[in-house]
Amino acid sequence: MPVTANEPLSLLQRYAETMEYCTLLDSAANAPVETGDQILYIAAFAISCLSNTRSKDRALRKPFNPLLNETFELVREDLNFRFLAEKISHRPPIMATYAESENWTYSYCPQPAQKFWGKSAEIISDGPITISVESPDGETTTYSYVMPTTYLRNVIAGEKYVEPAGQVTIIASSGHKAVVEFKSKSIFSGQRTEEVSVKIFGSQNKELGIGLQGKWTAELVRTPDNKRIWVASSLLPEPRLRYGMPSFCASLNQVTDIENGKLAPTDSRLRPDQRCLEEGRIEEAEELKKKLEELQREKRKQGKIVAEGVSSAWFTKIEDGVWVPIQGENGYWESRKRGQWNVCPTLW
């Protein structure tokens, strides 16, 4: 694919966009479990993660496919969290992502895939999301769910847009659950459906009388009191000229004082073809992209990188589909402190 089919971010950074509304997880940590309020905030967070594709301009391009062992870190001291992602398998494609804050952790190892159905493409991200939240009383509750299937509509002709579909059930270790329902599209409608609703059930599988209503593109209110729980951030001005990105997303290529001189050499911010595209040097970006792809293919032929199976510098498997960061002196954050990146392969 030509480089102009991409936006100047990697798929690893796309997963980091999940953290834009991490304050919902902070709210969950301070909400009671038994009343269903904590899982309600978890459901709001799960829905908010879809809003980064609300602009139809975002559907026109795809993120860069990361190279094997490419990484991305995001340290936000203002939001009190840090995030790490790594591409750990080329075939099948698997990403390992993990975020942590004082009162919660987030783990997701997506295996992205696509199926084409004529006019639409079905976008699948298998793999459970696991969120553990510690309440002020020290009790930890774990939540698990799978992201909904989303569809890229009008692949061949017409206005392209992304649309989630179906149900998502969030299961809590406390016995609670939340059922997220995305409104089905009418066969006679050519418009995107954006309405979503959430029902909350207690540990006895009894509906608790609170929930969420709204649009995954705009805002969510708690029912029945209509308290606003979440509102989508603003997009950059002139979205069509800026890939339809929200402000949070557009900041992910910045190298701030927090990252300057500390990034792993495999970090997506340092990928040269991606950086050239962001700076508008299209021809140079095209040439660099071809060189990187050819280098990867040559390394596979020489057996220097695995063509199939998992290869991770910074994550370890704890169960099927679940990878977490290596701890201790061999972990990413300790290596970052020392500025030692011996285990990192040369990617570019």
Side-chain angles (χ1 to χ4, degrees):
M1 297 291 290
V3 74
T4 50
N6 294 96
E7 63 180 18
L9 290 174
S10 77
L11 187 56
L12 297 176
Q13 290 167 299
R14 177 70 70 90
Y15 290 123
E17 292 178 43
T18 299
M19 294 294 109
E20 178 174 4
Y21 303 104
C22 65
T23 52
L24 290 167
L25 299 181
D26 298 331
S27 296
N30 291 306
V33 174
E34 285 304 316
T35 60
D37 287 275
Q38 187 169 97
I39 197 171
L40 182 140
Y41 279 105
I42 298 294
F45 174 80
I47 295 167
S48 74
C49 296
L50 299 166
S51 67
N52 61 343
T53 58
R54 62 189 178 275
S55 170
K56 295 179 181 179
D57 297 302
R58 195 88 195 266
L60 300 177
R61 298 174 182 86
K62 64 184 183 68
F64 278 78
N65 182 21
L67 304 177
L68 185 65
N69 298 128
E70 186 172 330
T71 60
F72 180 72
E73 70 162 61
L74 182 61
V75 179
R76 288 292 300 264
E77 294 178 348
D78 57 329
L79 295 174
N80 194 32
F81 79 86
R82 62 185 184 184
F83 170 95
L84 176 64
E86 180 187 8
K87 185 174 184 179
I88 62 173
S89 174
H90 174 69
R91 190 180 298 117
I94 304 175
M95 321 290 160
T97 73
Y98 192 86
E100 56 190 347
S101 186
E102 184 177 355
N103 297 315
W104 53 262
T105 62
Y106 167 96
S107 176
Y108 182 32
C109 295
Q111 300 184 38
Q114 288 188 359
K115 294 180 180 179
F116 290 94
W117 305 102
K119 296 181 180 179
S120 298
E122 183 179 353
I123 304 168
I124 304 165
S125 289
D126 286 338
I129 292 175
T130 303
I131 300 173
S132 293
V133 179
E134 183 177 347
S135 301
D137 61 4
E139 180 183 359
T140 298
T141 307
T142 300
Y143 299 87
S144 180
Y145 59 95
V146 176
M147 290 296 288
T149 295
T150 58
Y151 291 88
L152 175 61
R153 307 292 189 187
N154 301 323
V155 172
I156 305 301
E159 185 181 41
K160 294 181 177 64
Y161 59 87
V162 174
E163 180 180 54
Q167 277 190 357
V168 172
T169 300
I170 302 171
I171 303 296
S173 59
S174 62
H176 293 68
K177 73 175 181 180
V179 178
V180 182
E181 181 82 39
F182 294 95
K183 184 178 179 181
S184 299
K185 179 180 179 180
S186 168
I187 60 174
F188 303 107
S189 172
Q191 301 298 315
R192 177 171 71 183
T193 57
E194 299 179 352
E195 288 79 14
V196 62
S197 62
V198 178
K199 293 181 179 180
I200 305 296
F201 297 83
S203 56
Q204 303 302 315
N205 204 32
K206 181 179 179 181
E207 195 168 346
L208 294 180
I210 62 171
L212 294 170
Q213 291 280 353
K215 295 184 176 182
W216 62 270
T217 56
E219 67 173 12
L220 296 169
V221 298
R222 186 173 64 188
T223 57
D225 61 1
N226 290 325
K227 177 185 176 181
R228 180 183 284 175
I229 297 296
W230 166 78
V231 60
S233 63
S234 59
L235 300 177
L236 292 177
E238 300 182 275
R240 187 165 292 275
L241 299 178
R242 294 174 171 83
Y243 305 96
M245 291 181 178
S247 299
F248 182 91
C249 163
S251 71
L252 295 179
N253 269 342
Q254 290 181 329
V255 179
T256 68
D257 290 341
I258 293 174
E259 297 93 16
N260 192 23
K262 298 177 182 178
L263 288 174
T266 51
D267 195 278
S268 297
R269 294 177 183 86
L270 306 178
R271 181 168 171 162
D273 53 347
Q274 183 174 301
R275 181 65 70 181
C276 283
L277 178 61
E278 182 181 35
E279 295 173 354
R281 294 179 281 148
I282 307 301
E283 292 184 5
E284 188 177 353
E286 191 73 67
E287 288 302 313
L288 286 168
K289 183 171 181 288
K290 289 178 182 178
K291 288 180 180 179
L292 289 179
E293 291 170 348
E294 289 170 0
L295 179 62
Q296 281 265 296
R297 285 190 286 268
E298 187 60 31
K299 285 182 176 179
R300 286 190 203 102
K301 288 180 182 178
Q302 296 176 6
K304 293 182 179 179
I305 61 174
V306 294
E308 297 187 17
V310 175
S311 170
S312 177
W314 306 114
F315 285 82
T316 184
K317 182 179 178 180
I318 59 172
E319 59 182 86
D320 287 344
V322 180
W323 292 72
V324 297
I326 296 169
Q327 300 298 316
E329 65 177 12
N330 295 323
Y332 180 89
W333 301 110
E334 288 299 317
S335 296
R336 184 183 191 271
K337 286 180 182 178
R338 298 192 305 268
Q340 295 178 350
W341 302 108
N342 300 335
V343 301
C344 290
T346 301
L347 298 183
W348 37 71

